[in-house]
Amino acid sequence: MPSVLAVDDSQSMRDLVRFVLQRAGYEVVQASDGVEALEVARGTRVDLVLTDVHMPRMDGITLVRNLRGLPEYKYVPMLILTTESSTEKKLEGKQAGATGWIVKPFDPPKLLATVAKVLS
């Protein structure tokens, strides 16, 4: 069963993502910001990282950049799930190493299709 690290400072958003992914058969590990996610990632190997951009302590783009610096996360798909839709932010995310960008509010079937696509 593929595992996903869901990172968002909103508990309700983490719960929604976990609900959608678990129903589709994914194992979900959660973190409330980039600092916590980095700690989790160092101790637990996941198949996909799904992160928000705007969070306290460490934002999602910085998290992606830091994870890409870890050998075990060099090739792990990383999706950014955010309300942010500016071209500049998307470019910044891509340059940091993000695999894809999903704008909130998300459509559960589209999220699952994107997750399945990047994990195949």
Side-chain angles (χ1 to χ4, degrees):
M1 163 185 336
S3 58
V4 178
L5 172 55
V7 189
D8 201 302
D9 57 324
S10 162
Q11 179 71 52
S12 58
M13 183 54 67
R14 285 196 314 272
D15 289 344
L16 179 60
V17 168
R18 180 177 46 83
F19 177 76
V20 169
L21 292 174
Q22 282 181 337
R23 284 196 53 200
Y26 295 97
E27 185 182 316
V28 180
V29 183
Q30 297 180 325
S32 61
D33 63 33
V35 173
E36 185 183 343
L38 206 49
E39 289 169 12
V40 169
R42 286 189 172 122
T44 310
R45 178 78 164 85
V46 296
D47 301 302
L48 170 73
V49 176
L50 188 62
T51 183
D52 185 18
V53 170
H54 301 289
M55 298 180 291
R57 299 200 304 161
M58 183 190 298
D59 68 89
I61 291 173
T62 303
L63 171 63
V64 168
R65 197 175 291 118
N66 281 311
L67 287 172
R68 286 290 180 227
L70 302 175
E72 61 272 28
Y73 281 90
K74 190 173 180 179
Y75 301 109
V76 171
M78 297 185 198
L79 297 173
I80 294 181
L81 177 63
T82 181
T83 55
E84 182 70 61
S85 60
S86 74
T87 306
E88 297 80 28
K89 275 289 181 202
K90 287 180 181 177
L91 185 60
E92 192 182 339
K94 187 174 182 154
Q95 288 169 341
T99 311
W101 197 276
I102 301 167
V103 177
K104 294 178 195 170
F106 68 91
D107 177 43
K110 280 186 183 166
L111 174 66
L112 292 173
T114 303
V115 166
K117 183 179 176 185
V118 298
L119 285 174
S120 62

